[in-house]
Amino acid sequence: MTLRLVTAGESHGPRLTAILEGIPAGLRIDSAFVDRDLARRQHGYGRGGRMKIEKDRATLEGGIRGGVTLGSPIAIGIENRDFANWSKVMHPLENDPIASAERRVTRPRPGHADLAGGMKFGAGDLRDVLERASARESAARVAGGAVCKLLLAECGIEVASGVLSVGPVIDPESPRSFAALQKVREDSPLRAMDASLEKEMIAAIDEAKRAGDTLGGSILVGARGVPPGLGSYTSWDRKLDARIGAALFSIPAVKAVELGSSIEASRGPGSLAHDEIERGRRGNLRRRSNRAGGLEAGVTNGEDVIAVAYMKPLSTLARGLDSVDLATGEAARAAYERSDVTAVAACGVIAEAMLAFVLADALLESIGGDRLDDVKSRLTAHRERIRKYSRV
Ligand code: EPS
């Protein structure tokens, strides 16, 4: 692996940290761009009280000098404003025993990491688990992903996302293309691909909230301008579709991932599953469709990379699900403090970050270069070689 992204920090601890290692030297970092993505992740109808407290901003703390990367690990900090309300319980060194006892969690939520994580680490207080398992961590990934997007943009690659469905509200005919993603309105309440569905989506969220329930949904994430030949078919762990799948599966609450329109393709014959090859007017090779989502045998084929991530409904329900109190052994309702009703809009922005990371990693692996100008000139040579190959 050429690029590495590590995050640290608890949801109500002092701050989150992202360390991104492997970005070439000479990339200009626009911190306003990173902050814009952090704000996009916080946006979205259905979020809870926490998003009113936080105002995520990136503090660039390492690997950058005068706004330009040095080739060393990039460190980004994001303050948790809510820490001010939790310092007696979440201070890394010293906590107030009475406040900590009051905030102790012993009734695991089905679907969250509480019980499985508690069994793994032997946590007497499930807060030790849920603080790190919280989707708050995804803010650090979005900051790291924004830097990857800046690298990709220098190489002519764009990444975008939109909400395909919320709960049962979906347009099954919604086009799965990058062009459709470009129509998504960033300031709309849900960043839906089909704006005409937003009213119905909002009504579904309101209804779930009234019932003390939560909703999931699905998002489309895509990239345009990706050169052919990234990833590899030669070994299972080099396959880019597998790497994109793993990255999207790592997003909190994502339980299924699809590339292109492969679920529909699996239900029909091969004649309707593949993307037939033809020659364009300028002699270039092109496809009549993009059902494969820009990936064949784990290698990019030059079409837009398209994936869908499916998010389960959030596991913190106001009404609570049946559970067992680990302190008493008795049946009990799962713990509830506060929560989002849905975070599907945020999921799209996190998916952009994860896709940007995997594509930047694959680009550096295939094209390489210690300095941005080396990467760009090598990429130009790569694109030229492929252009010549396609015209033989
Ligand atoms: C989350 C629970 C909520 C969400 C949180 C993820 O936080 P709290 O427990 O403070 O109400 O708001 O998401 C974020 C804080 C965020 O920045 O996305 C959970 O349990 O996963």
Side-chain angles (χ1 to χ4, degrees), residues 105-116 126 321-326 332-335:
V105 178
T106 58
R107 292 171 289 126
R109 292 161 294 173
H112 216 289
D114 303 350
L115 183 56
L126 298 179
L321 292 174
D322 283 350
S323 184
V324 169
D325 191 331
L326 302 182
R333 283 283 180 174

Side-chain angles (χ1 to χ4, degrees), residues 279 283-285 380-392:
R279 213 167 259 297
N284 55 309
L285 296 182
T380 304
H382 174 88
R383 288 192 194 273
E384 182 58 19
R385 176 171 72 70
I386 285 177
R387 200 181 59 80
K388 282 191 185 142
Y389 173 83
S390 305
R391 279 163 194 263
V392 168

Side-chain angles (χ1 to χ4, degrees), residues 11-12 41 47 50-51 56 82 109 112 133-136 138 316 337-340:
S11 178
H12 302 98
R41 194 199 68 93
R47 302 305 300 273
R50 179 76 186 271
M51 287 305 100
D56 294 341
D82 208 14
R109 292 161 294 173
H112 216 289
S134 165
R136 173 86 189 133
S138 62
T316 313
E337 282 163 358
R338 170 178 75 182
S339 74
D340 305 323

Side-chain angles (χ1 to χ4, degrees), residues 292-311:
L295 288 147
E296 286 169 315
V299 184
T300 56
N301 63 9
E303 298 297 311
D304 297 340
V305 170
I306 298 290
V308 180
Y310 297 85
M311 196 182 196

Side-chain angles (χ1 to χ4, degrees), residues 70-87:
L70 300 170
S72 44
I74 296 169
I76 306 175
I78 302 166
E79 184 194 349
N80 287 326
R81 286 185 161 200
D82 208 14
F83 177 63
N85 306 316
W86 285 81
S87 57

